[in-house]
Structures are given as structure tokens and as C-alpha cells.
Amino acid sequence: MFNLKNSIGEIRGIGPKKTSKFIRLNKFTIADLLYYFPRDYIIKDDSKKIKDLNENDVVSIVVEVATQCVSKRTYKGLTITKFLVSDDTGSIWVTIFNRSYISKQVKLGDDIRISGKVTRGSGSLEFTNPNIEFNNISREVSLITPVYSTTEGLTQADILKIQKEVIDKYSKEVKEFIPDDIRAEEKLCNIGFALENIHFPSSIKNLKLARYRLIFEEFFLLQLSLMKMKKHTLNEFIGKALINNEGIDSFISSLPFELTESQLKILDEIFLDLESTKSMNRLVQGDVGSGKTIVAIIALLKCIINNCQGAFMAPTEILAEQHFNIIESLLKPLDINVGLLTGKLKKSSKEELLQNIKNGDVQVVVGTHALIQENVVFKDLALVITDEQHRFGVRQRAILSNKGDNPHVLVMSATPIPRTLALILYGDLDISIIDQLPKGRKKIKTKAVSMENKYRVYDSIKKELDLGRQAYVVCPLVEESEAIDAQSVTEKVEELKIYFPKYEIGILHGKMNSAEKDEIMLRFKNNEIHILVATTVIEVGIDVPNSTIILIENAERFGLAQLHQLRGRVGRGSEQSYCFLLYKSKNKISEQRLKIMEETTDGFIISEKDLELRGPGDFFGIRQHGIMEFKIANVFKHIKILKKVQNRVELILKEDPLLTLEKYPALGSVIKDKLLNFDGI
Ligand code: ADP
Ligand code: MG
């Protein structure tokens, strides 16, 4: 029986050799090829004339051969054939490699159709190795040919031929799985039509219909799968119910501050989860400085009181150590053993720590990625917390969870992202939001200042330092190279020394080893260093409440999210804090960004604006997120479609809260399948 999951080897025209090439493209089955969408299309639009051509245009035009072919051999043994073609607006060269036989077909004065990409040859525009039709050239306006990504040994022509075969033969075999009623309401074409027209569109209009359906489909299946995962976790993963609350209230009242209402509300949500046997899977989103750490610590405490272990994973060593110090200082007095596990631990102390984790003597383990290495074994892990989750993939989170018997999972993120995106990035999690800053925080005063007025900013820094406060100076990322960044930081320090002779200046950059970084951070915390000059390594989580002023150089180069994160290093105490955004030059977008930063400190508003302003992929550092690897959809470009999908999913959930999808068996089985090979995130 024919099956879409059959190997591509079955397809006529694909032998073992081509199969191996397709495997290199990650295409194994017929279904893979059906979903191997063109990366572009050549649109045969006869209205395009030679004078309209620009570099990189992919076009198909009818032209007249204007010169004879000239062929020559290069010393490397290549044959280059060249001829000129023209229309009534101009002429352009055609260059062909290693197909000298073509010169027999090219006849002066003939009309031919040239299809391909316009490139820049030696100075002028030309076609290099285009497709050429000599006889019976098609004259239709708007004939659309797909362009596929190729790999060595598989040419465009190869793939085109195979795809033609695949689509003709199999596209109609794919069973529709989006229910008719939903398709009708969402105006989605059927799957066969969509596959046919995404590969070989019969018109632009049909291409658009096909694309819309397939984008909708991709979001829809992912969103449903994530929701289903969430339901699955809720219903089947039995974790530990951590019921005992002894000592929690007195711990909370011993804190030097009162928890905000928002923190209390989220603690309630977390406690409710922890007290049930269903494993918690919760994301806490809270703006920088909203006080997520203490919430995490209280959750850890609850876990220990119930005789279980807790783990706390942070993305960087600096952050792990900072958390360790805070957690240890708060929990040690309660006779709780806290361990710190990072990559740099000496072998002997590491072995000892691992032993103590294994036998349960260490109750809370704080660490970096080192926590998810195989040799870390817990006695009874019941709660896993990851900080700044956007830096971790779902997979890493899962590995950590697997170290216990379905431990409760809490992820914390300071990147407030709009709900629409949160639903697709963290759709498998329940979401809690801390939407309130601790009392007494003053709004950080932010000003964009042109580079020429740098010294005025230095004066402001001096004023703060004279009051006993501390400052950050953030140097721009010059290059992707840490060595060059380090150099720019060093130069900056030299410059600052002249203006701040009285003050101690420290350096922090990615090229330093972690012992060096720690030492600097410790001295900064102890107010032995007054100005910390750094690259963006200080971006995540660092908490020194006495620093009240931050200067960010070349702020126009940073994205909103990064600026927001960096700015969050100040304003963490009760004093008025300041942020200066120094710019050299501004374009329209960077000007808008700087203005938004001046106007608001609310991370959610900033993230909404970020979504509007930035190009795809740059948003809030989630580029690394595996989830962005969509086949056709794009969470930034297609946000409207994503919203429609989410509304639709909500409707389905209303009717079918457990998402059994019994009403829609075909859809149900596609989702089940997807969950089995979940590689979307
Ligand atoms: P983030 O949410 O960015 O991780 P932190 O947890 O680092 O923020 O908290 C920022 C600072 O606010 C810390 O110095 C912390 O001790 C303090 N803090 C937390 N909660 C409160 C509160 N309710 N009142 C006053 N200060 C608080
Ligand atoms: Mg934090």
C-alpha cells in the first residue's frame, strides 16, 4: 500500500545516489518532499524588460539573440560560452559554463526565453547559467516556476523534475486533516490544492491561497500539539504533592522586604501546583527587577520542607554564582545545604558535591548547564527551576526534568513577550506574570544623548559616584569576536581613567575566565569598584542595587530587548536611577527605538513595540530558539495568521477542554503523530 511515510527511494527517478543527496537535505520520506517547499519562484512576466532588471532579480524574459556565441576554454579547463541578448530597451550578456554545445542552438536573431537570476558579472549585469528555451517558447504572462534549495549533486533541474513527479502523483493522496467546518470559516483551501499550488502554482492568486493554508496549518498543528502536551502533562505526569508548609510564613516575614501583591499571587499559583500530584509546568514572566528570584527561593524552600531536593539552573556562571550566594545566605540559617555546580569546579570538590547530591545531603543545587550532564544524579529531585529560560531550549529543560521522577518545573524569564508569541514559544506551559515592581522603585530616567555630549553624561556619572553610588558603562559589540570587544572595553577604561581619577574602574568581558569575572563582580558588589565597564555579558540578571546609573554606548546598535535588559541593571534599589543611551547616528528605526526607551520602562509595552519594529529573527533574543525553524510560517511576518490560529485553538479548547479531538479524528491522529516525533522545539 502506498504510504506518505515511505522512503523517497520509491519515487521514479530517485535512485540510491539521489536518495543519499536528499538525505543530506534532511528529506527521507515522500511526505518530506511534499513539504519541501520552494524557496522562491521564477515568475514569467513578459512585462519585465531588460532595462528594468536589477541584480538578484529572478526573472524569465523573452529576448532576441543579438550576437553569435563566443566560446573559450580557461586554463582550468572550463568552457565559457557568452552571447548577448536584447530587447527594445537594452541588452544583457548571457554566460554559460561547460555547455559549449549550446552554441549550436543559439542563432542570431532568434527569440529565446531566458529564466534565472540576474547577477553582476565583471561589472555589468548578466545571466549566469540560466535556463534557456529555444523553441516553442511560452508566451503566457505569469507562468510560475518554483526554485528549490539545492545541494551538491542535486541540481535545480533534478529537484524540479522529481518534485513534479511527486506532486503529480502524491499530492492528491494526502488526506485532509483540517476539518471542513474550520476550513470553511478560516477560508482555507484543501490540502491537495495547497500542495499542488505551493509547488507548481497555476496563478499568483492560487499560490497565495496555498501559502495561506500552509502557514495556518503549520501554526495550527504546532499550537495544538503544544496545548496537547500541556494537557498530557496535566493529566498523566504524576509528580510529588508537596503539602507541608511549615516555616514558610516565618521565612517570608523574616525577609528584609515585604513581598509585592504580584509576588504573592504568583506564589499562590505555584503552591497550588506544587501541592497537587500533577507536575507543575509553569513559566513566570516578570520584568527585570520584579523580584523573581525570591519567589523561586520560596518554592525551593517548600520543596526542602517536604524532604525533597530542588535544582536551580542559570544560563551563565556569573548568574549561577549570584543566585547561589543569595540562596545560600537565605537558606543556610535554616540548616539547608546549598551546592553550586559549575563547569569550573575542581575535580575533587566536584566529585564530593556529586556524591552529596546523590545521597541527598545537598538539598538545593544551583548551577549552569553543568547541571544537565549525565553524571549528575539526584536522590529525590522534586523541583527544577530554570532562570532566564529564553536561553534554554525546551529540550534542555526536558533533560533536567528527567533527572527526577516527573519533578515540578518552573521556568523564569525576564523577557516579557506578547501573549501571542508566548503561546507559541511556551505553549506547553502555564504562564504566570509578575506585573508589579517592588514598592519604592523609582522609574529609571532615560535619555538618548548624542555622542558629542558624552562629557555631560560623564558629569552625571560623576555626580552619582560622588553620592556613593556605582555605575555601569556598556561598550558596543564591535564585532562577533570577543577578543576585539575586549580591546574596545580596555580602551574605554583608559579613557575613563582620565575623567574619573578618584574612582576604581573594573572590566568585564566575555574573554575573561570565570574566576576573573567573579572577582570583578564580587568587588563591584562590595563597592570596591565604582565603575564597571562591560560588554553585554552584564545583560542577564546581574543584581547590584547600589548602581544607579548606566551608560550604553552606540545604543542605536542594540535592539529594544537588549536595551531594556541592560537598563534593568539599574533601578534595583530605592534611589532614583538613570540610563543614558549614547548614539553616534540614528536612522529612523533606531530613533524610534531610542524614543520608546525614553518613554517607557514597561517590558511588555517594549516587547510589543519590538515586535512591530524589528525584522524577523531579532526579537528578544529568541532567535536561537529551535522553535523558529518553521518550514513556511514565520512568527514575526505572520503574526496576524498566528492570532487567527490561536483564536481557533481557543474555540476548540472551549468545546473540548481536554483536547481529545474526538470530533476531528483525522486531525487528532496528525497531532498524535506530531507529538510522537516532536521535533518542533
Ligand atoms: P528579577 O526579577 O529581575 O530576577 P531579582 O529577583 O533579582 O529580579 O530582584 C531584584 C531586586 O529586588 C533584588 O535585589 C531583590 O532582593 C529585590 N526584591 C525582590 N522582591 C522585593 C520586594 N518585594 N520588595 C523590595 N525588594 C525586592
Ligand atoms: Mg533574575
Side-chain angles (χ1 to χ4, degrees):
M1 230 291 283
F2 156 78
N3 185 336
L4 286 176
K5 283 189 194 140
N6 286 2
S7 153
I8 51 175
E10 278 186 17
I11 296 162
R12 210 172 52 192
I14 305 192
K17 219 168 134 193
K18 289 221 170 83
T19 303
S20 70
K21 306 284 186 216
F22 273 110
I23 286 173
R24 199 169 337 139
L25 287 170
N26 256 331
K27 309 295 161 220
F28 304 93
T29 65
I30 294 171
D32 288 342
L33 286 188
L34 287 170
Y35 278 82
Y36 183 36
F37 300 138
R39 64 168 168 75
D40 207 346
Y41 300 87
I42 294 174
I43 296 174
K44 299 186 175 180
D45 175 357
D46 289 344
S47 62
K48 262 249 170 159
K49 293 291 186 185
I50 288 177
K51 79 164 170 27
D52 305 324
L53 298 181
N54 291 309
E55 193 176 349
N56 292 330
D57 282 354
V58 180
V59 293
S60 176
I61 52 173
V62 175
V63 290
E64 189 185 322
V65 178
T67 64
Q68 303 281 10
C69 273
V70 192
S71 287
K72 65 174 187 213
R73 278 179 84 79
T74 69
Y75 68 97
K76 279 186 186 155
L78 284 176
T79 314
I80 302 180
T81 307
K82 269 181 170 295
F83 60 96
L84 193 70
V85 296
S86 65
D87 64 13
D88 46 12
T89 69
S91 59
I92 182 167
W93 283 99
V94 178
T95 304
I96 290 160
F97 291 99
N98 283 346
R99 284 193 284 165
S100 50
Y101 56 86
I102 240 169
S103 42
K104 293 206 186 72
Q105 288 168 286
V106 176
K107 296 204 179 82
L108 193 66
D110 270 7
D111 277 351
I112 59 173
R113 178 182 283 282
I114 303 256
S115 307
K117 191 162 156 178
V118 180
T119 55
R120 190 161 292 279
S122 43
S124 54
L125 294 178
E126 63 174 38
F127 287 100
T128 312
N129 288 332
N131 264 324
I132 306 175
E133 287 169 39
F134 294 99
N135 306 310
N136 307 322
I137 54 175
S138 42
R139 289 278 184 187
E140 296 94 320
V141 177
S142 134
L143 250 178
I144 311 169
T145 317
V147 181
Y148 294 92
S149 301
T150 55
T151 180
E152 208 191 314
L154 266 186
T155 63
Q156 196 58 243
D158 290 338
I159 299 181
L160 205 62
K161 197 165 137 226
I162 288 161
Q163 287 296 62
K164 187 88 193 135
E165 170 91 16
V166 169
I167 303 307
D168 282 354
K169 199 157 163 198
Y170 302 107
S171 63
K172 297 225 164 40
E173 306 277 338
V174 184
K175 240 177 62 194
E176 181 58 82
F177 48 87
I178 301 186
D180 290 347
D181 54 337
I182 296 179
R183 281 202 299 112
E185 283 170 36
E186 301 289 351
K187 302 191 173 62
L188 304 172
C189 66
N190 75 49
I191 183 65
F193 179 93
L195 289 173
E196 232 178 281
N197 281 281
I198 199 74
H199 291 281
F200 299 99
S202 48
S203 67
I204 297 269
K205 185 171 152 248
N206 289 347
L207 172 59
K208 282 187 179 155
L209 283 172
R211 188 184 268 150
Y212 186 81
R213 139 94 204 205
L214 292 165
I215 293 169
F216 190 102
E217 170 186 319
E218 192 165 30
F219 281 143
F220 189 55
L221 295 183
L222 178 61
Q223 193 73 74
L224 279 174
S225 306
L226 288 168
M227 292 298 164
K228 182 88 185 162
M229 255 162 97
K230 186 152 122 184
K231 302 288 166 193
H232 182 70
T233 323
L234 273 181
N235 290 319
E236 291 178 25
F237 288 2
I238 306 296
K240 283 207 181 57
L242 309 174
I243 302 175
N244 194 351
N245 277 329
E246 239 177 276
I248 298 224
D249 284 342
S250 61
F251 177 75
I252 292 178
S253 42
S254 76
L255 293 172
F257 45 74
E258 223 174 282
L259 295 180
T260 63
E261 257 167 58
S262 213
Q263 284 170 318
L264 287 170
K265 187 177 121 247
I266 276 149
L267 271 175
D268 273 350
E269 291 170 354
I270 293 172
F271 273 32
L272 217 59
D273 286 352
L274 293 176
E275 283 163 17
S276 92
T277 53
K278 296 168 192 157
S279 298
M280 169 166 75
N281 250 306
R282 185 169 291 280
L283 168 72
V284 172
Q285 273 196 15
D287 215 338
V288 275
S290 61
K292 293 182 291 296
T293 318
I294 192 65
V295 171
I297 296 173
I298 296 168
L300 285 168
L301 178 62
K302 184 170 170 69
C303 182
I304 311 308
I305 289 170
N306 285 275
N307 295 318
C308 296
Q309 288 171 298
F312 192 160
M313 184 157 80
T316 64
E317 298 209 339
I318 295 188
L319 210 53
E321 278 165 38
Q322 179 179 292
H323 284 323
F324 170 75
N325 291 331
I326 294 171
I327 294 174
E328 197 183 37
S329 71
L330 287 171
L331 297 187
K332 191 99 193 195
L334 305 177
D335 266 337
I336 294 171
N337 284 327
V338 186
L340 173 65
L341 184 66
T342 60
K344 66 172 196 201
L345 213 58
K346 280 200 203 72
K347 199 160 174 239
S348 58
S349 21
K350 186 169 174 189
E351 268 160 23
E352 193 189 326
L353 178 58
L354 290 178
Q355 193 53 43
N356 289 332
I357 297 173
K358 199 170 171 183
N359 65 27
D361 282 352
V362 166
Q363 294 142 295
V364 176
V365 192
V366 185
T368 53
H369 288 76
L371 268 182
I372 56 174
Q373 276 154 12
E374 270 165 41
N375 55 1
V376 187
V377 182
F378 291 84
K379 179 162 177 249
D380 193 1
L381 180 64
L383 173 63
V384 171
I385 301 177
T386 66
D387 195 19
E388 307 299 346
Q389 147 70 19
H390 63 291
R391 300 263 170 134
F392 288 117
V394 172
R395 212 182 295 273
Q396 282 166 308
R397 196 162 19 101
I399 296 173
L400 192 55
S401 303
N402 286 335
K403 296 207 172 266
D405 190 10
N406 298 318
H408 298 284
V409 174
L410 185 66
V411 303
M412 303 199 298
S413 175
T415 39
I417 55 174
R419 190 182 129 80
T420 314
L421 282 188
L423 274 179
I424 199 116
L425 292 175
Y426 305 117
D428 58 326
L429 304 174
D430 293 311
I431 299 178
S432 294
I433 295 175
I434 305 191
D435 51 8
Q436 191 180 23
L437 292 181
K439 259 191 239 127
R441 294 277 168 81
K442 298 195 176 79
K443 199 173 156 184
I444 302 165
K445 289 191 177 153
T446 304
K447 194 138 190 48
V449 178
S450 124
M451 199 65 184
E452 294 125 45
N453 296 320
K454 179 168 80 172
Y455 298 114
R456 285 200 211 154
V457 179
Y458 286 0
D459 286 344
S460 305
I461 293 181
K462 195 154 167 303
K463 257 190 219 146
E464 287 297 299
L465 296 180
D466 289 346
L467 288 169
R469 315 264 153 71
Q470 289 158 278
Y472 293 101
V473 173
V474 181
C475 299
L477 278 176
V478 188
E479 301 268 328
E480 298 276 302
S481 142
E482 286 181 339
I484 295 177
D485 288 339
Q487 190 195 339
S488 85
V489 175
T490 316
E491 283 166 11
K492 190 80 215 166
V493 170
E494 292 310 312
E495 183 198 329
L496 290 173
K497 272 186 184 157
I498 301 170
Y499 286 91
F500 300 96
K502 271 199 333 204
Y503 290 103
E504 195 60 34
I505 302 175
I507 293 189
L508 196 70
H509 56 72
K511 198 88 185 77
M512 291 159 63
N513 69 35
S514 50
E516 292 168 329
K517 283 187 207 160
D518 291 348
E519 200 208 312
I520 294 288
M521 275 323 294
L522 192 68
R523 290 179 57 210
F524 189 59
K525 273 198 173 161
N526 294 340
N527 203 356
E528 292 159 29
I529 287 174
H530 309 109
I531 305 175
L532 187 61
V533 182
T535 55
T536 52
V537 287
I538 62 151
E539 177 190 342
V540 178
I542 291 192
D543 184 39
V544 180
N546 188 49
S547 15
T548 51
I549 190 161
I550 184 166
L551 160 68
I552 303 170
E553 271 205 28
N554 274 171
E556 76 272 21
R557 292 217 192 160
F558 292 101
L560 271 175
Q562 227 176 354
L563 290 175
H564 180 63
Q565 278 287 337
L566 288 168
R567 179 168 64 180
R569 296 314 105 217
V570 299
R572 300 174 84 84
S574 50
E575 303 302 332
Q576 176 63 55
S577 287
Y578 306 88
C579 169
F580 290 98
L581 305 169
L582 228 53
Y583 60 84
K584 264 197 191 124
S585 61
K586 293 191 285 192
N587 62 26
K588 203 159 162 242
I589 296 275
S590 58
E591 182 162 345
Q592 277 172 296
R593 272 195 216 131
L594 296 176
K595 194 149 181 273
I596 291 164
M597 290 301 294
E598 287 183 327
E599 283 168 359
T600 178
T601 51
D602 181 326
F604 280 95
I605 296 177
I606 292 175
S607 75
E608 290 279 359
K609 299 278 185 195
D610 199 20
L611 195 52
E612 282 166 31
L613 280 179
R614 301 218 85 188
D618 284 329
F619 179 82
F620 263 63
I622 53 181
R623 181 180 6 204
Q624 311 97 316
H625 220 289
I627 202 165
M628 307 299 288
E629 286 157 26
F630 287 97
K631 285 197 177 70
I632 188 165
N634 176 314
V635 287
F636 304 103
K637 276 199 217 154
H638 307 132
I639 198 93
K640 278 196 190 128
I641 307 179
L642 179 56
K643 278 189 182 152
K644 281 197 170 160
V645 166
Q646 289 170 343
N647 289 338
R648 176 54 61 181
V649 170
E650 224 158 80
L651 288 179
I652 296 177
L653 276 171
K654 224 177 244 164
E655 230 179 77
D656 177 10
L658 292 179
L659 215 56
T660 60
L661 296 175
E662 268 158 15
K663 185 176 160 196
Y664 303 128
L667 182 59
S669 90
V670 170
I671 295 292
K672 208 164 137 200
D673 213 53
K674 196 165 167 62
L675 285 174
L676 281 179
N677 331 278
F678 208 79
D679 59 354
I681 38 183

